[in-house]
Amino acid sequence: MREIVLDTETTGFDPRGGDRMVEIACLELENLTPTGRTFHTLINPGRTIGPEVVRVHGITNEKVKDAPRFAEIADDLLAFIADSPVVAHNAGFDRNFVNFELEEAGRPTLADEQWIDTLPLAQKRFPGMANSLDALCKRFKVSLVERTLHGALIDTRLLASVYLELKGGRERALDLSGPSAEHPRIEAGQSAYGERPRPLGPRSTPTERSRHADFLRATLTDTSLWARLVPDLAD
């Protein structure tokens, strides 16, 4: 199943109050596993980015001055998403900005049913606990090393790992992956190797075992545990 993990960075909280997107990133999943395909771009918001917001995501006015306007990337964005479900954390925030910008650009918006919000999934699993993306990464031991600031592409990678855990973890992803031409599934009961002997054969040489026995005879009594486990010691 194809899904798209999406994240945005903006100038504020309210698109209808004049705030705009400054970055958008999408990451493609196939059966919960990233394929390596992404869509990512900075966006010129057509307005000033305030210093308090720059401190959050590090995207300055200088960085976006030559970036495309949203209308210029809208078709490529829609083509990348297509009809796939869109996964986002606190999806209402991203949906409001994406759909507002699509509407302003005269493009079709993404239906509410197309969005999957990982926040209520996390709240259902961890009621009463902090369920921010950072908190979930720490809970699931997802590395935050590269996340010194918020960034749309970094956050999609982190969210993809969190979403996998929320959906059942890595075992679930492996179950969903199905057989492939490169890695055909080995059916139960079939093996390319013979049955392993039990007990396993010794890894030491006869000389090493003889020296070990001599050492034990010289240091242990006949009633020791080793004497019972290694009959040769009683000789």
Side-chain angles (χ1 to χ4, degrees):
M1 178 180 179
R2 183 179 189 264
E3 295 171 295
I4 301 297
V5 181
L6 180 146
D7 188 64
T8 62
E9 299 298 337
T10 68
T11 63
F13 299 100
D14 183 10
R16 301 199 179 275
D19 290 313
R20 294 291 182 268
M21 269 194 279
V22 295
E23 183 183 25
I24 188 166
C26 299
L27 181 151
E28 182 184 64
L29 300 180
E30 192 67 50
N31 295 328
L32 301 178
T33 303
T35 65
R37 291 189 66 223
T38 61
F39 175 90
H40 173 234
T41 183
L42 292 175
I43 298 168
N44 186 330
R47 56 156 292 172
T48 301
I49 307 171
E52 70 285 354
V53 182
V54 173
R55 283 193 290 271
V56 175
H57 50 54
I59 300 172
T60 63
N61 293 292
E62 180 68 21
K63 287 182 179 179
V64 299
K65 68 176 186 178
D66 296 322
R69 295 296 183 96
F70 183 87
E72 298 174 60
I73 60 95
D75 291 334
D76 290 337
L77 172 67
L78 289 172
F80 187 87
I81 295 173
D83 59 355
S84 298
V86 178
V87 181
H89 196 66
N90 190 20
F93 178 88
D94 298 290
R95 182 176 64 239
N96 286 345
F97 271 93
V98 171
N99 280 344
F100 178 85
E101 297 277 18
L102 287 171
E103 198 174 90
E104 289 290 295
R107 305 302 197 278
T109 57
L110 303 178
D112 289 356
E113 315 82 71
Q114 193 170 346
W115 293 78
I116 297 172
D117 193 345
T118 52
L119 180 57
L121 292 179
Q123 290 170 333
K124 183 177 180 180
R125 183 162 174 180
F126 304 108
M129 299 177 68
N131 285 301
S132 67
L133 182 57
D134 277 2
L136 290 169
C137 285
K138 291 172 183 174
R139 196 168 300 145
F140 289 128
K141 296 181 172 56
V142 175
S143 175
L144 290 165
V145 169
E146 63 176 340
R147 196 196 199 211
T148 54
L149 293 168
H150 287 265
L153 189 57
I154 292 172
D155 284 0
T156 59
R157 292 171 181 156
L158 296 175
L159 183 55
S161 297
V162 166
Y163 181 54
L164 170 60
E165 297 297 337
L166 289 172
K167 296 292 283 186
R170 299 187 184 282
E171 293 80 4
R172 166 82 184 266
L174 290 173
D175 289 344
L176 289 174
S177 62
S180 67
E182 296 81 7
H183 302 286
R185 178 179 294 173
I186 298 176
E187 298 296 336
Q190 296 180 351
S191 173
Y193 303 95
E195 184 178 355
R196 190 170 73 172
R198 288 186 171 84
L200 297 175
R203 299 294 297 274
S204 57
T205 66
T207 300
E208 289 170 335
R209 293 196 293 278
S210 176
R211 288 177 179 172
H212 185 240
D214 290 342
F215 170 77
L216 294 177
R217 287 193 193 94
T219 55
L220 301 177
T221 67
D222 290 344
T223 59
S224 69
L225 175 63
W226 276 104
R228 294 198 299 274
L229 293 175
V230 185
D232 289 346
L233 295 182
D235 295 344

